[in-house]
Amino acid sequence: MAFSDTLCEEGRPILESILDHPMVVGLGDGTLDESPFRYWVKQDYVYLVDYSRVFALGAASAPTLSQLSTFATLLDETVNTEMDLHRAYAAEFGISEEALEATKPSPTTQAYTDFLVRTAATEPFANLVAALLPCMWGFNQTARHLDVRGKPNHEQYAEWIAMYASDEFTELTDWCLDLLDEVVTEAGPTTREEMRERFLTSFRYEYRFWDAAWREERWTV
């Protein structure tokens, strides 16, 4: 069994918790109140800023020119294309660009992005790849699960599902799975365990990101 398969199998209970979460269930059937989803859209914008930094650090630490090129491309596409698309998507919910830029990270967003950037900046490239995978794989699996059940009667929710269930995003997910299996071939037992821990930590943050949006999490003091 490929190492990526092993990790995904171990993360299956976390994925099931995400799929069963009322935020995701409501997104899928169109009954989700827009207030927590607007919160999610704003926090995801904040997340994308540091996600871009992770791609930049990945390009800097990539062992091969091919990997460097891919991470550089992902950085460019995220900063110059995906964030524009996110601004346009936010506008459909009445969220202005100014509101996005003024959004402060929630406790969960701050913790998640700090973890990703620290991993990318201070740890081996293999750990960075393991920490990146849950965002791609989790969204792809979630959207494909919802897509099979049928599009909701809510244009923006259906658009979210279509984007992350798309062939293009599935290809990106498969690339990350393949990359993880590529880099693990050079990893010893200690690094493999670190990769496993980074994957599971990121995946737990993925669950908490949904849950924080559902609760519209705020700092308590």
Side-chain angles (χ1 to χ4, degrees), residues 186-198:
E186 304 294 328
T190 299
T191 300
R192 283 173 172 255
E193 180 58 25
E194 288 177 353
M195 292 173 70
R196 171 184 170 274
E197 290 174 357
R198 302 306 178 269

Side-chain angles (χ1 to χ4, degrees), residues 117-134:
V117 172
R118 184 179 69 252
T119 299
T122 67
E123 298 189 11
F125 181 73
N127 289 6
L128 180 160
V129 175
L132 273 180
L133 179 58

Side-chain angles (χ1 to χ4, degrees), residues 43-104:
Q43 288 299 316
D44 196 52
Y45 185 82
V46 174
Y47 176 91
L48 282 173
V49 175
D50 277 333
Y51 198 54
S52 300
R53 293 190 173 97
V54 173
F55 286 141
L57 290 163
S61 62
T64 71
L65 182 60
S66 174
Q67 292 162 357
L68 186 160
S69 176
T70 301
F71 272 84
T73 298
L74 289 171
L75 170 63
D76 177 65
E77 290 179 349
T78 302
V79 172
N80 297 314
T81 301
E82 185 173 354
M83 293 191 75
D84 279 343
L85 292 173
H86 199 90
R87 293 182 191 101
Y89 186 64
E92 296 181 26
F93 288 92
I95 304 170
S96 67
E97 183 174 342
E98 292 74 21
L100 288 175
E101 295 293 343
T103 301
K104 301 297 183 184

Side-chain angles (χ1 to χ4, degrees), residues 90-221:
E92 296 181 26
F93 288 92
I95 304 170
S96 67
E97 183 174 342
E98 292 74 21
L100 288 175
E101 295 293 343
T103 301
K104 301 297 183 184
S106 72
T108 293
T109 302
Q110 186 74 70
Y112 189 8
T113 58
D114 282 358
F115 165 74
L116 288 174
V117 172
R118 184 179 69 252
T119 299
T122 67
E123 298 189 11
F125 181 73
N127 289 6
L128 180 160
V129 175
L132 273 180
L133 179 58
C135 179
M136 297 180 188
W137 188 71
F139 270 26
N140 187 235
Q141 289 290 305
T142 299
R144 290 168 69 180
H145 170 82
L146 298 178
D147 189 49
V148 168
R149 294 177 170 234
K151 294 291 196 303
N153 188 26
H154 186 294
E155 183 179 352
Q156 286 74 32
Y157 295 171
E159 185 179 343
W160 188 95
I161 293 168
M163 177 169 55
Y164 290 110
S166 67
D167 290 342
E168 293 79 8
F169 195 78
T170 300
E171 288 174 7
L172 179 61
T173 302
D174 289 343
W175 163 81
C176 197
L177 289 164
D178 290 341
L179 179 60
L180 186 139
D181 288 328
E182 179 183 329
V183 299
V184 80
T185 60
E186 304 294 328
T190 299
T191 300
R192 283 173 172 255
E193 180 58 25
E194 288 177 353
M195 292 173 70
R196 171 184 170 274
E197 290 174 357
R198 302 306 178 269
F199 172 83
L200 292 174
T201 297
S202 272
F203 214 173
R204 291 180 178 118
Y205 274 127
E206 283 293 314
Y207 173 85
R208 289 183 64 88
F209 200 85
W210 285 113
D211 190 60
W214 175 249
R215 294 181 288 107
E216 299 186 49
E217 181 187 62
R218 299 285 188 272
W219 293 99
T220 55
V221 292

